[in-house]
Amino acid sequence: MSVALSSISKERVYWEGQPEHCSVDPILIYLTVDSVVTPMRVLESDSIASVKLRIQQCKGFVVKKQKLVFGGRELARNDTLIREYGVGEGNVLHLVLRLSDLLFIVVRTVSGKEFEFHVDRHRNVGYLKQRIRKKGEGFIDLEEQELFCNEEKLDDQILFHDICKGGDGVVHLIIKKSVKVRATPIHNDLNLSLEALIPSERSDQRGLQLQVEENKNRSKPIQIAKLPPGVGFWLEPIAVNPNINFLPFLWDMINSTYEGLKKGNRPIRSSEGTGGTYFMQNSTGQERVSVFKPLDEEPMAVNNPRGLPCSLNGEGLKRGTRVGEGALREVAAYVLDHPRSGPRLVSGEEIGFSGVPPTVMVQCLHQEFHHPNGYACSSKHIKIGSLQKFMNNDGNCEDIGPGVFPVEEVHKISVLDIRMANADRHAGNILFRKEAAGQIKLIPIDHGYCLPDKFEDCTFDWLYWPQALQPYSPETIDYINSLDAEKDIEILKHYGWDIPQECARTLRVSTMLLKKGIKRGFTPYAIGSIMCRENLNKESVIEEILSEAQDSLLPGMEESEFLETISQVMDSRLDKLAQ
Ligand SMILES: Nc1ncnc2c1ncn2[C@@H]1O[C@H](COP(=O)(O)OP(=O)(O)OP(=O)(O)O)[C@@H](O)[C@H]1O
């Protein structure tokens, strides 16, 4: 693979901690991040986890925020050796950083009093002022504040994202009355200083000062983006089947997103995720109402904003998926997440058994989306993608230990992932919310890699959570028994997705496995383990079952006969496992 991509950073080629006595010769590979290419030496026998650790040591990017991609495939298994993924001398690895949308902000007054806030990097300065007002009532008069950056007044509308271009940093604010401001951008962190007067200090006529300091390595001033005024937009649901009426709550989501755009509240691109994910705001701009994921910005798609190369053969980042089909799969996951009372078109209920947020296919036009080849307000630039309800949350499951999750919450996710053969269930794709009673609710998101046409990349982080070892409750067993893969395929067709035969087979086989598993009293762990590979090169039990059935496949055999064979092979394998 060619590496003449851009300037090569002058960092050390050799890693610190490289064992000198190492018997295996190191290989030279190239790491690209933000279009900067860094040569690095690693051992072919290094695991993905140790390569990530080296990247953390060298570049400071926290391991769990790293996603490595090579040859169009995510190097998702941390315990796998890089040579098992086929990485060799001279190859290029793409590093995608999943930055947190939350910034940690410390506001300090001149008297040294400190307040701490977690503020979304897409919030503006005005929003922070409101938070300060609530928290610091009585000693900070925000009416008198003026915030400046680089000697320019910081408008209330300016987003922290535009101030803090680097990683998920800590932001220090000091409030004063002077308008002198200095700003220095930094690589990972941004340190803002905003000094405020407490009432007794106001009399000394000291003013407000915002300083941006920190990171010694870079000195370029921050460019605060001056957004042009809104130039038009478009948002419309796509219904392939004109007989389908969108349920009222879906219209609410679409309409409030539309109103937000109409009021000029621009889509905000998430810092997390490998594809383009945009938070859509309501008409006041104070709330997020939906999340738009355009097809052409998916990982490996032509307009991916994270610098990932285009797929060469059309395969997506996970085996058995196609680039440009993520939105379809997102919608399919919602459509098939039936409420306990039955399919949504009958029950009309918003949230299904597993809690997938309401999702529809839309077309949307806005200049804020990624248009690397220029933008014009024309139908040529309309993007098609999934629009999903924004779910208020307190973070994702990577942020906290799984011990606090209720068993039923983990089980509902396991049911979804097994039947959809989800190839992207890492803990970051489960949001959590603390309910009023202190209970934790899990919200599964990001289903663009479900229903692959092969099981190779299925991985479930919950497999290693203690709740996965608990048996399913009778209610969950009833729900599983009510599932019908044939009806599901019909429902998808009704919604406009004539699912390819191989993906339909995945749905049939995984639903079959789930049902046969619970009949034998298997736990989510036992069923999930059958579906996931233990390591990269060892086929999973489900893959072995399919191969065995394939071997007895006769020319001209109908799909139904093939499934019958799979069923028999599966029975005998499961019976052995049950012994
Ligand atoms: N429905 C939702 N409600 C609230 N936040 C959401 C929702 N969907 C996505 N997000 C936020 O947007 C971020 C990026 O979304 P998402 O994970 O779907 O993108 P992606 O590019 O597919 O990511 P990944 O790298 O995990 O494949 C998530 O980490 C989450 O914080």
Side-chain angles (χ1 to χ4, degrees):
M1 188 181 285
S2 159
V3 287
L5 301 176
S6 68
S7 61
I8 290 184
S9 88
K10 292 197 175 62
E11 284 179 56
R12 278 166 304 174
V13 169
Y14 288 87
W15 295 97
E16 255 172 54
Q18 177 81 46
E20 280 170 26
H21 58 276
C22 196
S23 56
V24 188
D25 282 340
I27 55 166
L28 181 67
I29 61 168
Y30 298 88
L31 184 75
T32 75
V33 54
D34 291 340
S35 319
V36 175
V37 182
T38 306
M40 24 181 301
R41 285 201 185 274
V42 293
L43 300 178
E44 284 182 311
S45 57
D46 271 337
S47 65
I48 299 303
S50 58
V51 171
K52 286 182 175 173
L53 196 62
R54 287 169 184 226
I55 293 171
Q56 177 175 323
Q57 284 164 353
C58 175
K59 290 190 150 282
F61 303 132
V62 182
V63 166
K64 71 176 186 179
K65 296 289 174 195
Q66 299 176 28
K67 214 170 209 185
L68 287 172
V69 175
F70 168 65
R73 189 174 194 194
E74 186 195 338
L75 311 185
R77 293 171 183 271
N78 281 330
D79 53 354
T80 297
L81 309 184
I82 57 162
R83 71 157 171 259
E84 293 178 276
Y85 273 116
V87 178
E89 179 77 24
N91 285 154
V92 178
L93 260 57
H94 293 266
L95 172 64
V96 180
L97 293 172
R98 299 173 56 245
L99 302 177
S100 172
D101 285 317
L102 286 183
L103 294 171
F104 183 60
I105 298 193
V106 182
V107 177
R108 187 156 50 89
T109 69
V110 282
S111 65
K113 207 167 172 54
E114 282 192 352
F115 298 89
E116 296 173 353
F117 302 90
H118 274 108
V119 175
D120 193 299
R121 61 172 65 234
H122 305 109
R123 292 285 186 182
N124 60 23
V125 170
Y127 169 80
L128 179 68
K129 282 185 175 179
Q130 283 178 22
R131 297 269 304 269
I132 298 171
R133 186 176 290 128
K134 278 189 200 149
K135 214 168 182 173
E137 205 171 343
F139 80 100
I140 299 176
D141 183 354
L142 286 152
E143 299 308 317
E144 292 182 15
Q145 282 186 9
E146 279 188 304
L147 309 185
F148 286 78
C149 185
N150 254 358
E151 312 215 348
E152 270 188 59
K153 188 178 165 198
L154 268 192
D155 193 87
D156 277 5
Q157 300 308 316
I158 289 175
L159 305 175
F160 281 96
H161 177 74
D162 292 329
I163 303 169
C164 179
K165 293 277 188 196
D168 44 345
V170 179
V171 181
H172 290 272
L173 304 177
I174 301 165
I175 303 177
K176 283 206 310 192
K177 211 171 181 182
S178 150
V179 295
K180 281 253 177 240
V181 171
R182 285 197 317 274
T184 312
I186 56 165
H187 201 53
N188 289 323
D189 297 330
L190 182 79
N191 205 335
L192 298 184
S193 302
L194 168 67
E195 291 189 11
L197 295 176
I198 60 172
S200 57
E201 291 168 328
R202 265 189 224 131
S203 53
D204 68 8
Q205 295 302 303
R206 279 196 287 165
L208 185 85
Q209 183 179 58
L210 176 74
Q211 285 188 320
V212 185
E213 47 188 50
E214 158 119 3
N215 206 336
K216 312 91 206 167
N217 308 333
R218 291 211 265 159
S219 56
K220 236 174 37 196
I222 289 174
Q223 298 297 318
I224 303 291
K226 295 251 186 313
L227 291 175
V231 288
F233 67 93
W234 187 248
L235 176 69
E236 191 183 336
I238 298 175
V240 178
N241 179 351
N243 297 323
I244 290 188
N245 290 321
F246 290 102
L247 291 161
F249 53 83
L250 292 174
W251 276 120
D252 287 349
M253 169 178 76
I254 295 163
N255 289 339
S256 45
T257 304
Y258 183 90
E259 288 305 317
L261 292 172
K262 197 168 140 195
K263 279 271 156 41
N265 295 320
R266 59 183 198 153
I268 298 164
R269 178 143 73 84
S270 168
S271 314
E272 301 193 44
T274 8
T277 299
Y278 296 88
F279 298 120
M280 311 297 277
Q281 310 184 69
N282 70 351
S283 58
T284 64
Q286 293 301 317
E287 267 180 54
R288 286 152 184 208
V289 282
S290 61
V291 175
F292 178 57
K293 296 174 76 171
L295 295 178
D296 66 325
E297 298 191 28
E298 283 175 18
M300 321 292 294
V302 61
N303 289 331
N304 177 262
R306 308 299 301 262
L308 285 176
C310 284
S311 171
L312 294 177
N313 58 4
E315 189 164 48
L317 211 50
K318 305 285 178 176
R319 292 272 156 92
T321 62
R322 310 290 303 163
V323 172
E325 289 187 358
L328 273 177
R329 290 180 155 81
E330 295 268 7
V331 176
Y334 177 63
V335 165
L336 297 190
D337 181 24
H338 313 300
R340 282 178 199 268
S341 54
R344 188 164 293 109
L345 284 178
V346 181
S347 73
E349 276 180 66
E350 181 173 356
I351 300 294
F353 175 83
S354 300
V356 178
T359 314
V360 288
M361 192 75 90
V362 295
Q363 44 180 307
C364 192
L365 174 78
H366 202 282
Q367 73 182 114
E368 279 302 315
F369 302 142
H370 193 56
H371 300 283
N373 300 316
Y375 171 80
C377 186
S378 80
S379 54
K380 207 173 97 194
H381 289 103
I382 285 182
K383 299 207 179 218
I384 291 173
S386 58
L387 189 75
Q388 182 169 81
K389 182 171 178 173
F390 179 87
M391 306 298 278
N392 287 319
N393 64 83
D394 296 295
N396 68 53
C397 292
E398 268 176 0
D399 303 334
I400 48 172
V404 293
F405 306 147
V407 174
E408 285 299 304
E409 289 296 296
V410 176
H411 285 191
K412 75 179 193 188
I413 308 275
S414 74
V415 170
L416 176 75
D417 288 344
I418 293 170
R419 59 189 280 248
M420 304 299 286
N422 191 354
D424 196 20
R425 178 60 76 216
H426 59 80
N429 281 341
I430 308 176
L431 306 176
F432 74 88
R433 189 169 63 213
K434 286 186 195 132
E435 304 282 67
Q439 278 282 85
I440 292 212
K441 186 138 202 100
L442 300 183
I443 304 162
I445 57 161
D446 200 2
H447 301 112
Y449 296 116
C450 65
L451 296 179
D453 64 25
K454 46 172 92 83
F455 289 94
E456 194 175 331
D457 272 349
C458 284
T459 43
F460 309 140
D461 269 9
W462 51 258
L463 213 53
Y464 309 102
W465 297 353
Q467 299 84 344
L469 294 168
Q470 303 273 327
Y472 283 122
S473 68
E475 294 75 26
T476 301
I477 289 174
D478 283 349
Y479 179 79
I480 293 172
N481 281 328
S482 75
L483 296 171
D484 182 337
E486 295 312 318
K487 277 198 189 138
D488 285 347
I489 291 163
E490 279 309 304
I491 289 174
L492 289 181
K493 205 183 232 170
H494 184 64
Y495 273 89
W497 190 24
D498 202 356
I499 174 171
Q501 175 157 313
E502 295 76 17
C503 303
R505 186 182 295 158
T506 298
L507 180 61
R508 289 181 172 117
V509 171
S510 46
T511 308
M512 186 190 286
L513 173 67
L514 190 54
K515 290 183 152 198
K516 287 182 189 289
I518 53 155
K519 217 183 238 170
R520 290 164 175 82
F522 286 3
T523 60
Y525 171 80
I527 305 175
S529 307
I530 291 169
M531 205 173 247
C532 300
R533 289 184 172 202
E534 251 173 61
N535 60 53
L536 190 68
N537 295 317
K538 187 178 179 313
E539 286 198 337
S540 61
V541 176
I542 198 81
E543 288 175 290
E544 287 173 1
I545 292 171
L546 283 172
S547 304
E548 200 178 321
Q550 195 92 36
D551 289 344
S552 49
L553 192 66
L554 300 172
M557 208 185 208
E558 296 275 312
E559 179 72 6
S560 56
E561 292 171 281
F562 181 42
L563 282 162
E564 188 44 48
T565 314
I566 294 172
S567 170
Q568 286 164 12
V569 179
M570 194 184 284
D571 277 334
S572 91
R573 286 297 296 259
L574 298 190
D575 286 343
K576 272 192 208 138
L577 287 170
Q579 282 164 13

